Amino acid sequence: MSAVAVSLPQAPRTWALRPVTDSDVETMARLFCKSRNKSVPGRDLGDYYDWDRDMAPGGKLRARFEKLLKEDRGRIVMEQREHEELSLGFAAMRPASAETGGKAELTYLFVDPEQQGRGLGSALIKWVLDEARADARAVPDKTARCTVACFARNPAGIRAYTRGGFVQPPPGSELMHPEVNEPYVILEWVEKVDVCQEAS
């Protein structure tokens, strides 16, 4: 008797992306700290910030995300659960400009470690690359480019980016992160935009 493939119905998606707002500064900071602390196996990166001090007005952690709201585009993942709405992750991208060498930058992508494996990171990467594609239609060579920095000892992060289409640099390309003294690499994604296909 031959085996019969059975396709099981997928559970409906219970989360959605929305633009970040001024009210998300503290939420993004908490997700950033919680996720980054777990991003390098065997190392706790949580000692760099003191929450009460650095989230106070003028504090460096608050300033980091206030700057994001001014300079970047961002999306946050929200999920409705009974009587509360939960924030599960967020991403931000800086559009291509002369200052970035004509490349967009994926500046932040952090998902709550307890929510990983649900496709949230992939959805955020897709949003960033869709933004880069849309922007590329206005440039002469119609080529979308995007870079992202990732800790070299964060294999899960590097896998997520390469699955999304980013390419790892050659060995020996590591740089040193000035805040936490941890090596990182810059991955790049390049795609020619088909204007005719987009218009059809």
Side-chain angles (χ1 to χ4, degrees):
M1 175 183 269
S2 60
V4 178
V6 177
S7 61
L8 298 175
Q10 292 188 345
R13 196 173 83 172
T14 58
W15 48 266
L17 304 185
R18 68 157 173 79
V20 296
T21 67
D22 291 349
S23 64
D24 294 318
V25 166
E26 185 169 323
T27 297
M28 289 189 293
R30 288 190 183 281
L31 285 166
F32 167 77
C33 291
K34 184 176 182 181
S35 179
R36 191 172 82 156
N37 293 356
K38 305 291 184 182
S39 62
V40 178
R43 182 171 180 195
D44 183 358
L45 298 175
D47 294 337
Y48 184 74
Y49 290 109
D50 177 277
W51 182 265
D52 292 334
R53 178 193 67 209
D54 295 329
M55 278 303 290
K60 60 184 177 181
L61 187 57
R62 177 172 292 279
R64 181 180 197 133
F65 290 99
E66 289 175 343
K67 181 181 179 182
L68 179 159
L69 288 167
K70 292 178 182 177
E71 299 182 359
D72 299 351
R73 302 174 194 163
R75 290 293 184 274
I76 192 164
V77 184
M78 306 300 298
E79 182 172 54
Q80 190 69 41
R81 292 189 185 175
E82 295 184 357
H83 305 297
E84 63 177 342
E85 191 174 44
L86 301 180
S87 306
L88 309 181
F90 75 98
M93 63 92 68
R94 188 160 299 155
S97 67
E99 292 181 355
T100 63
K103 301 174 183 179
E105 295 180 6
L106 198 171
T107 50
Y108 291 89
L109 196 160
F110 291 94
V111 174
D112 187 326
E114 297 171 9
Q115 304 298 330
Q116 292 176 4
R118 300 179 58 190
L120 309 181
S122 296
L124 289 165
I125 291 172
K126 181 181 182 302
W127 167 74
V128 169
L129 299 186
D130 284 347
E131 291 285 298
R133 289 186 187 100
D135 291 344
R137 293 177 210 141
V139 301
D141 68 354
K142 304 295 186 259
T143 301
R145 298 175 175 87
C146 187
T147 60
V148 61
C150 184
F151 287 129
R153 296 195 300 151
N154 179 4
I158 291 175
R159 281 196 303 271
Y161 293 127
T162 54
R163 281 198 305 265
F166 286 87
V167 176
Q168 283 185 256
S173 302
E174 293 86 358
L175 303 168
M176 191 59 64
H177 195 289
E179 287 184 353
V180 294
N181 197 35
E182 182 69 32
Y184 69 96
V185 294
I186 297 178
L187 296 86
E188 186 167 4
W189 169 88
V190 179
E191 183 179 288
K192 197 79 172 177
V193 175
D194 189 337
V195 179
C196 294
Q197 185 178 9
E198 293 289 338
S200 61

